[in-house]
Amino acid sequence: MNFIRNLWAFVVGLGQGGQIPSSVTDNYDALLTSTLRNYSSKLKDNITRGNKFVAWLDSKGRTRKVSGGHQIAEPLMHQQNSTADIYKGYGLLDTTPQDGLTTAFFDWAQLSGSITISRLEERQNSGKAKILDLLQAKTMQTEVSMKELLNNCIVAGKPSAYGTADTQIVARSGRLDSGASGPLPLGNIIDSTVARSVSVGNINGGTYSFWRNNNTDSSATTFVGFRNELNKTYNNCGKGTGGSPDLLLGSQVAWETYWLSLTTSERYLINDKKTVDVLGGSEALAFRGAAFIWDEVVPDPEAGTNIIDSPNTANVAATIFFINSEAMSFVTDSATDFITTDFVRPENQDAKVAQVLWMGAVTVNNRRKLGVMDSISASITS
């Protein structure tokens, strides 16, 4: 619908006195669409940076864009080259053909949020300033909702779902198609049951031992025991080439337990400006070479309880994910990276609708560099 603003300019020119009518057309649809498109970069940045895990991967150069494709491929090396050896002079060199390479495949996940405006709202908010205020409010509402949905999918998802829409996430959002697949949750990629017969990236960790992450079922009853288990899990993830975890993402109880286990002289927060900025001003504790942060929706994978829906459940134990950013990626489709579509009018409504769309995946290339410490007691006090 076009709103026509007629402006009459009285121009007196040499040799042609008189009135020359002039009109300017303001296209309301164009105003909405162009405003959303101009905001799209900020929208994308706010959504991805709202997820501490994704923001961390981005800061480490582990986010990338790809152009379509049936699936996302991650090349893997699961065996070393056995011909690597020492020799001298005319010694024989091993030329045995080598294999040891394979590929993990990850399905695309899709997220969307709708921005709607009715004709009634158009009329009630007529005038450029008011229209933009309304559109900004609706866009921010969508931004906050998608930010929470992305975080819930990645962090709060329980391993029982294995790539399908987690029932508790569905209940939380109230919107997800129960047949849809969201991004793989951390509880799937970093499984508390390491030899579980489930495929991640089309490779079954129950069958192939190279495709298993590390796990520590905590039995600590003291701070000393808790710290020992942290060190053990960290060291297990650091075995072999590829470095050690650089991010520990735990539940609130896990973070608080670690804080209490430290002496006063040890209690220091990471004050590196870049790290603090990436993690959204979080109070990131230093644990050896990693930043330790917490998220309110980290689940208890063993109890099958998602703290997002049961925040006061007594049997929810604490959990910590040990993440090596070199082993994971956040991949987006280059043409669907939190884009905004044009406004369209449904045939049965007096309104206009635009969508914010994302298409991507969380991938892993080396599960052996990842770990999870679960079943951490919430009652450790000394």
Side-chain angles (χ1 to χ4, degrees):
M1 176 175 57
N2 294 329
F3 289 93
I4 309 299
R5 180 179 60 204
N6 293 317
L7 301 178
W8 290 89
F10 297 89
V11 181
V12 178
L14 292 176
Q16 55 174 18
Q19 300 177 355
I20 302 176
S22 175
S23 64
V24 177
T25 300
D26 285 340
N27 189 307
Y28 185 79
D29 288 346
L31 176 64
L32 289 174
T33 301
S34 63
T35 301
L36 280 176
R37 286 176 176 167
N38 289 337
Y39 187 73
S40 61
S41 295
K42 183 179 178 182
L43 178 74
K44 170 184 175 294
D45 186 60
N46 287 346
I47 292 174
T48 54
R49 288 179 64 84
N51 184 294
K52 298 172 186 176
F53 168 70
V54 174
W56 184 258
L57 290 183
D58 186 53
S59 73
K60 298 296 183 179
R62 300 301 300 172
T63 58
R64 69 179 192 271
K65 294 183 179 182
V66 299
S67 182
H70 177 61
Q71 291 176 308
I72 303 166
E74 286 282 359
L76 311 177
M77 181 183 70
H78 61 86
Q79 289 179 347
Q80 293 187 5
N81 189 323
S82 65
T83 66
D85 203 352
I86 58 175
Y87 80 102
K88 182 178 181 179
Y90 290 98
L92 297 178
L93 307 182
D94 189 349
T95 59
T96 304
Q98 300 294 300
D99 189 7
L101 302 176
T102 189
T103 304
F105 294 96
F106 296 88
D107 293 328
W108 291 102
Q110 294 177 280
L111 304 181
S112 73
S114 297
I115 301 172
T116 61
I117 188 166
S118 68
R119 177 178 171 81
L120 176 61
E121 290 172 320
E122 290 178 11
R123 298 304 306 139
Q124 290 175 332
N125 291 274
S126 58
K128 183 175 181 180
K130 291 183 180 180
I131 289 172
L132 291 180
D133 286 346
L134 175 63
L135 181 62
Q136 182 181 28
K138 287 178 172 288
T139 304
M140 289 179 63
Q141 178 190 39
T142 305
E143 173 187 310
V144 170
S145 301
M146 293 194 69
K147 183 188 300 183
E148 182 173 349
L149 176 60
L150 178 65
N151 193 65
N152 290 350
C153 285
I154 296 175
V155 178
K158 302 193 307 299
S160 59
Y162 291 108
T164 59
D166 189 293
T167 55
Q168 299 208 38
I169 294 177
V170 172
R172 178 72 172 182
S173 68
R175 293 187 62 253
L176 272 179
D177 176 0
S178 60
S181 297
L184 286 178
L186 289 176
N188 180 346
I189 296 172
I190 313 175
D191 200 336
S192 62
T193 303
V194 295
R196 197 190 301 265
S197 183
V198 171
S199 292
V200 174
N202 207 39
I203 300 175
N204 194 312
T207 304
Y208 299 100
S209 60
F210 77 86
W211 198 236
R212 297 174 187 172
N213 58 262
N214 296 281
N215 166 246
T216 299
D217 287 321
S218 177
S219 59
T221 57
T222 64
F223 288 145
V224 172
F226 173 65
R227 295 282 293 275
N228 286 339
E229 290 176 343
L230 283 172
N231 282 315
K232 175 184 176 182
T233 309
Y234 183 91
N235 289 339
N236 286 341
C237 295
K239 291 179 179 178
T241 59
S244 300
D246 50 19
L247 181 68
L248 270 59
L249 177 58
S251 59
Q252 180 179 342
V253 170
W255 190 95
E256 292 169 352
T257 301
Y258 177 60
W259 170 267
L260 292 174
S261 75
L262 302 173
T263 63
T264 303
S265 60
E266 291 176 314
R267 287 179 182 171
Y268 63 95
L269 304 173
I270 293 178
N271 56 14
D272 173 69
K273 185 178 183 303
K274 180 179 179 181
T275 300
V276 172
D277 181 59
V278 165
L279 298 176
S282 298
E283 293 186 327
L285 290 171
F287 176 77
R288 296 176 61 172
F292 188 173
I293 61 175
W294 64 274
D295 192 295
E296 63 187 277
V297 299
V298 171
D300 175 4
E302 288 296 305
T305 303
N306 193 317
I307 200 168
I308 194 172
D309 295 299
S310 306
N312 300 313
T313 303
N315 68 338
V316 175
T319 305
I320 304 171
F321 292 110
F322 290 69
I323 298 166
N324 183 327
S325 58
E326 290 298 314
M328 303 188 73
S329 295
F330 183 73
V331 183
T332 57
D333 173 53
S334 58
T336 324
D337 191 7
F338 293 109
I339 64 166
T340 54
T341 67
D342 292 336
F343 275 85
V344 297
R345 181 187 294 277
E347 64 180 22
N348 61 345
Q349 286 185 308
D350 185 17
K352 296 185 180 73
V353 182
Q355 270 86 33
V356 178
L357 303 175
W358 176 82
M359 177 174 162
V362 175
T363 68
V364 57
N365 61 62
N366 192 346
R367 294 181 78 195
R368 290 177 295 183
K369 306 304 294 182
L370 309 173
V372 59
M373 184 170 155
D374 64 301
S375 302
I376 302 169
S377 173
S379 59
I380 299 176
T381 57
S382 62

